[in-house]
Amino acid sequence: MSKQAAAALRKPFTRMAAASAPLLRCPDPAVVTATEELMSAAGNLEDTSLLEEKIAAFGRAVQAATAPPATWRERRRARRAG
C-alpha cells in the first residue's frame, strides 16, 4: 500500500476505532466478539467477502442485543406453543 493510500485511510480508521470503543465494553459478549471481528476484517482490504460477512454478523449481534424484551403476552404464547 502506498503512503498516499495509507494516509487516505488513516482518518476513517481512526473514526471507526473511536466508534467501536464503547461497543467493546458492551456487556453482551456477542456484540464484543462481532465488533472485534469486524475491526479485524476491516484491516484486510483485499478480502471484501469476509468484510461483508462480518458486517452482517455485527448487525445481527447488535440487533439481538438491542431488541426489546418479550412482552408478557409474547412469553405466554411461546409457552403455549412449545
Side-chain angles (χ1 to χ4, degrees):
M1 180 182 297
S2 71
K3 287 183 181 183
Q4 188 177 23
L9 292 174
R10 187 172 297 122
K11 190 173 183 179
F13 275 111
T14 302
R15 286 194 317 247
M16 187 172 57
S20 69
L23 295 170
L24 293 171
R25 294 187 298 268
C26 180
D28 188 333
V31 172
V32 174
T33 301
T35 303
E36 289 171 344
E37 290 177 355
L38 178 58
M39 292 293 292
S40 178
N44 184 1
L45 299 175
E46 289 82 28
D47 193 354
T48 57
S49 63
L50 177 65
L51 181 58
E52 289 173 5
E53 176 187 325
K54 297 304 177 183
I55 288 171
F58 174 78
R60 288 189 300 272
V62 170
Q63 186 175 23
T66 59
T71 64
W72 174 82
R73 282 196 171 112
E74 290 168 338
R75 290 191 307 265
R76 185 173 171 201
R77 284 186 198 134
R79 275 189 303 222
R80 286 184 177 178

